[in-house]
Amino acid sequence: MALAGLAFTACYSNGDGIAPPLSQIYFPVGVATSPDQSRLYVVSSDFDLQYNAGALHSLDLKRVRQLVPRDCDKDADCVAGERCDAAGDSASHWCVAKAGKFAGKPCGALGERAVGERIIVPGRCNNVDLTSPQMGGAPVQVDSVELGAFASDLVLRQGPKGEQRLFIPVRGESSLHWIDVDKSGGLHCGQEGSGSCDSIHRAGLDSSDNSRGLRMPPEPFGIAVSAKAEAIAITHQTSGAVSLFTQDLAHWSRGPELEFILQNLPLRPVALAAVPRSLASDLLEPSSLQVGFLTAYRDTPQVDLLRYYPDAGANPSRPFLALAGSAQVRANLLDYDSRGIAVDGSERADCEASCAGESGAKASACALSCANVPLGVFLSSRSPASLISGFTQPDTWATPNRDLPRFSDVVALPYGPSRVEIGKIMTSAGKLETRVFILCFDARRLAVYDPTRRLVERWITTGRGPHALSFDYQAPDPSRGEPGHALAYLAHFTDSYLGVLQLDQRARRTYGEVVLGLAPVTAPRASK
């Protein structure tokens, strides 16, 4: 959460000024991969107000994967018409063309970036143009749409029938944009004619839209959405408040509505994460205990658990958030100035997958046993720069797990840690394993932390302002001849482009490296 504190006055007009170039990524703040890993969605924030709006971009990941260099040791590792560039001190160990204009050139039509430039913009090759790739062929970008200025994050969720919807907090006007995505990656938010999302798709602006007469407070920042998207929580970085939006799953087309504002929390909540619901909650517990959020603060050394209550028994229902408990952070020197939080439920999910073959009482017993598998909770702090980790604690009297963490471990980080994400890498044995990724905005570093061995296994040097990260991985499938892959897409805020990271350890020379860049590098105006 590197931009917390870089607040602008909430004044925004989508009618005056220069419209943003929708083919250009500009100060990206959020990325999200579609569930089938066919699309990547990127939010541009227009942070320096050069344009009158931000933008959302939809990219074709199949096309991106075609452009990622293929590692090799010998010619047999390459396809027909290629050879392995494995000779000489500057060998790339990538498959290159045997003949033609770009024969033997690792970067092909992209051309190689000057060695000195790679200090600021890592990666051997120049970046790919999104709409007119230098090597020809189909464009990488498939659609785009204007948004309000100063978007701060991006979350994708699926609806009850598999529909895909993007949720984007926008600081410039204090709204929640919601955008539907079709099967081809097209973006839909009522933008016909104007090019920008209509008022229906900008929730939180009109107090007449809800029974409490609420408008969204200023400076929305962090967002977390429950697994089914029935509850959406958003922090407000200049006040002690968290907004609650709800999505009626039976009337998906209506979009989210602002329902409640939880106030009187500690000042400057910025970090927010949804708590994965347990299978036991679905089977045994009332629905009001199924959805929770963990939030952390810049000024207070604690993590709070917020519970969503649908209040379904009322007529009409009036959903709300409530503070369900607090966990003190006492593992570090000062413990305040938290910037990012992430929850790892992979171990519990693996346990619950083993319950699939059970039924009746055995299924309930299995689910209850798995509910006591703790969740990993990871918190980035700047006092000092560190990753603080712990686990949720069981409480079999009330619920199988209280969903509140107890922190115990601390790992030193470079200065400026911000967002924390949970993803997967591919091991040298071709297995997908969970890792924790910590972005260090100021230091231009990305830490890859192994939660099992409890150590940082890789430090990745990034470009300027690493701000958001999304993942794209698939396990090998020998029956279909699919080797599998593991990539990540890193949004570089300062220079307005995406870096494609290789997270496959089988590519041993480029594991943890930027192997491709998407969109031209655009330095901020103040640096020119």
Side-chain angles (χ1 to χ4, degrees):
M1 299 295 180
L3 300 185
L6 299 182
F8 283 91
T9 304
C11 54
Y12 152 73
S13 170
N14 204 32
D16 300 325
I18 303 172
L22 296 182
S23 61
Q24 177 183 347
I25 292 174
Y26 200 64
F27 290 108
V29 293
V31 287
T33 307
S34 64
D36 64 358
Q37 299 181 37
S38 66
R39 297 289 181 265
L40 180 73
Y41 304 102
V42 186
V43 173
S44 292
S45 67
D46 185 36
F47 185 74
D48 68 352
L49 284 178
Q50 180 170 349
Y51 306 107
N52 65 359
L56 175 69
H57 314 266
S58 173
L59 308 185
D60 183 347
L61 284 187
K62 182 178 180 180
R63 181 73 175 116
V64 171
R65 289 192 291 269
Q66 291 172 349
L67 301 177
V68 172
R70 295 191 303 280
D71 278 61
C72 63
D73 288 314
K74 55 188 181 301
D75 291 349
D77 297 331
C78 304
V79 300
E82 294 180 341
R83 67 173 179 83
C84 184
D85 176 34
D89 294 337
S90 61
S92 64
H93 287 272
W94 291 343
C95 293
V96 299
K98 285 183 177 180
K101 182 179 180 181
F102 302 109
K105 296 184 181 297
C107 295
L110 292 177
E112 294 200 23
R113 183 173 287 119
V115 174
E117 293 177 357
R118 298 178 200 176
I119 298 172
I120 299 299
V121 184
R124 182 165 186 158
C125 305
N126 292 319
N127 287 11
V128 178
D129 187 285
L130 297 180
T131 55
S132 300
Q134 294 88 326
M135 65 291 296
V140 173
Q141 180 167 294
V142 297
D143 201 4
S144 57
V145 65
E146 286 187 17
L147 304 174
F150 309 140
S152 61
D153 208 344
L154 169 66
V155 173
L156 184 150
R157 287 290 183 269
Q158 287 188 293
K161 297 181 180 179
E163 312 96 324
Q164 292 184 31
R165 179 166 291 169
L166 299 163
F167 301 94
I168 304 168
V170 175
R171 295 165 51 206
E173 64 176 15
S174 296
S175 70
L176 174 64
H177 281 48
W178 56 280
I179 300 172
D180 288 324
V181 184
D182 62 31
K183 293 182 180 179
S184 66
L187 306 171
H188 303 278
C189 59
Q191 69 270 35
E192 294 181 7
S194 67
S196 59
C197 296
D198 64 17
S199 59
I200 295 174
H201 290 81
R202 292 151 55 191
L205 292 174
D206 190 345
S207 60
S208 65
D209 287 343
N210 57 82
S211 62
R212 291 185 170 101
L214 300 174
R215 282 200 61 179
M216 194 178 192
E219 290 297 327
F221 192 74
I223 180 172
V225 183
S226 61
K228 295 181 179 179
E230 70 269 53
I232 303 153
I234 298 175
T235 62
H236 295 273
Q237 65 170 333
T238 56
S239 62
V242 175
S243 292
L244 169 69
F245 290 77
T246 63
Q247 172 66 61
D248 188 339
L249 301 184
H251 300 90
W252 182 258
S253 62
R254 293 180 184 173
E257 297 179 356
L258 178 62
E259 291 283 1
F260 188 76
I261 301 170
L262 179 61
Q263 302 190 60
N264 299 318
L265 295 171
L267 292 177
R268 298 209 287 179
V270 290
L272 191 66
V275 178
R277 80 173 77 221
S278 68
L279 180 62
S281 293
D282 287 335
L283 295 176
L284 305 173
E285 299 294 336
S287 60
S288 61
L289 294 179
Q290 292 183 9
V291 175
F293 302 95
L294 292 176
T295 186
Y297 306 87
R298 289 193 61 186
D299 293 349
T300 305
Q302 72 184 48
V303 171
D304 286 342
L305 173 64
L306 312 180
R307 286 289 188 198
Y308 160 66
Y309 294 89
D311 194 28
N315 188 18
S317 63
R318 303 187 75 187
F320 62 95
L321 279 177
L323 177 61
S326 299
Q328 298 301 305
V329 183
R330 291 288 184 265
N332 211 340
L333 177 64
L334 298 175
D335 299 305
Y336 69 95
D337 204 0
S338 298
R339 297 299 182 103
I341 190 169
V343 180
D344 176 20
S346 58
E347 185 177 354
R348 179 186 292 178
D350 290 342
C351 178
E352 292 175 341
S354 68
C355 302
E358 305 292 348
S359 60
K362 288 186 177 180
S364 298
C366 181
L368 188 61
S369 175
C370 292
N372 272 311
V373 175
L375 304 171
V377 181
F378 302 89
L379 187 69
S380 67
S381 172
R382 293 190 176 185
S383 60
S386 54
L387 173 69
I388 305 173
S389 61
F391 295 92
T392 57
Q393 303 299 305
D395 183 357
T396 54
W397 176 79
T399 59
N401 199 293
R402 296 179 60 208
D403 291 334
L404 271 172
R406 179 180 298 167
F407 295 105
S408 56
D409 285 10
V410 178
V411 176
L413 295 173
Y415 58 95
S418 51
R419 199 182 300 253
V420 184
E421 299 287 355
I422 307 296
K424 292 184 183 295
I425 67 158
M426 185 82 72
T427 69
S428 57
K431 302 292 185 181
L432 291 173
E433 287 188 358
T434 298
R435 294 293 186 269
V436 182
F437 297 79
I438 311 97
L439 298 172
C440 296
F441 186 91
D442 300 306
R444 297 177 47 217
R445 303 297 293 277
L446 171 60
V448 183
Y449 178 79
D450 184 338
T452 301
R453 294 186 294 158
R454 298 162 79 174
L455 55 81
V456 175
E457 69 175 17
R458 181 77 179 188
W459 294 101
I460 299 174
T461 299
T462 73
R464 297 193 296 178
H467 187 73
L469 190 67
S470 190
F471 303 93
D472 171 15
Y473 44 78
Q474 179 182 333
D477 187 350
S479 65
R480 298 176 56 190
E482 296 287 349
H485 63 270
L487 300 169
Y489 305 99
L490 175 61
H492 289 90
F493 177 84
T494 306
D495 289 318
S496 298
Y497 72 98
L498 302 182
V500 182
L501 300 176
Q502 179 62 266
L503 296 182
D504 190 338
Q505 291 182 343
R506 296 174 301 180
R508 60 185 184 278
R509 293 181 181 86
T510 55
Y511 172 70
E513 301 289 336
V514 176
V515 292
L516 188 69
L518 302 176
V521 176
T522 306
R525 287 186 296 169
S527 68
K528 297 178 181 178

